[in-house]
Amino acid sequence: MTQRIDYQTQSPELFKKFVEFSLLLKQSAIEQSIRELVDLRVSQLNACAFCVDMHVKEATQHGERALRLHHVATWRESTLFSPRERAALAWAESLTQLSAQGVPDDLYERVRTQFSEKELSDLTFQVMAINAWNRVNVGFRVVPGTYDKAFGVDKSGLF
């Protein structure tokens, strides 16, 4: 795969602001482990090889178990995820693959049993951000591993 254009160079101010937005999410009310699971699952759904690669490496560096990362694609059938993690993954999938009817009320009610209003709002911004990153990286065919050193995931040991 060959990258189409370097969007960071072509739109430096937009890129800078979006990175700032994404960095703010690290201070959100959502714990890092859930943010990482959500980023991985949304990236899988959007077939973003760059982001799947990066988020697996990042989660591994932060201590996530390999088996859980393998199970993210089949989280509904897996016994490795907590009710809170399952709610986050369901919410992320629903927002990523919006149906014509929107997000079902029963899903919203189920997610609200696991997250406060603030947490749910922050989780939604997390889903928004990873979907945007997926779209720019898929659209411009960013090659997996290209920015490992810049993102600090070159130390994951997954090479």
Side-chain angles (χ1 to χ4, degrees):
M1 175 167 62
T2 303
Q3 186 167 332
R4 291 177 168 158
I5 67 170
D6 182 350
Y7 63 85
Q8 296 176 28
T9 301
Q10 296 304 313
S11 304
E13 287 303 312
L14 294 173
F15 174 73
K16 179 182 174 194
K17 292 297 183 185
F18 196 56
V19 167
E20 288 173 13
F21 170 75
S22 296
L23 289 173
L24 279 175
L25 292 168
K26 293 182 183 291
Q27 301 169 23
S28 79
I30 302 301
E31 55 268 41
Q32 177 181 331
S33 61
I34 287 183
R35 291 193 319 265
E36 290 173 345
L37 294 174
V38 163
D39 285 350
L40 177 56
R41 183 61 186 139
V42 170
S43 297
Q44 290 172 339
L45 293 171
N46 289 325
C48 183
F50 176 86
C51 290
V52 167
D53 178 80
M54 184 178 72
H55 293 299
V56 165
K57 291 172 182 172
E58 191 173 56
T60 299
Q61 279 185 230
H62 294 138
E64 186 58 75
R65 296 186 336 232
L67 186 58
R68 280 175 37 99
L69 294 174
H70 288 294
H71 279 226
V72 168
T74 58
W75 65 268
R76 282 182 182 81
E77 293 81 23
S78 176
T79 59
L80 300 180
F81 302 100
S82 70
R84 183 172 168 87
E85 291 167 333
R86 291 175 176 286
L89 291 166
W91 186 252
E93 285 187 1
S94 185
L95 293 178
T96 298
Q97 301 175 314
L98 284 170
S99 73
Q101 295 76 35
V103 177
D105 289 338
D106 65 323
L107 173 58
Y108 175 77
E109 294 305 326
R110 198 166 10 117
V111 172
R112 285 287 291 126
T113 67
Q114 297 297 321
F115 294 94
S116 69
E117 288 183 1
K118 164 75 167 130
E119 290 171 330
L120 186 53
S121 180
D122 285 0
L123 177 60
T124 301
F125 278 100
Q126 184 75 35
V127 174
M128 290 167 43
I130 191 57
N131 270 289
W133 283 118
N134 290 165
R135 278 144 180 78
V136 74
N137 287 316
V138 169
F140 296 129
R141 292 186 180 157
V142 180
V143 178
T146 304
Y147 298 105
D148 280 4
K149 190 168 186 162
F151 289 118
V153 296
D154 55 327
K155 298 166 188 69
S156 67
L158 296 175
F159 299 96

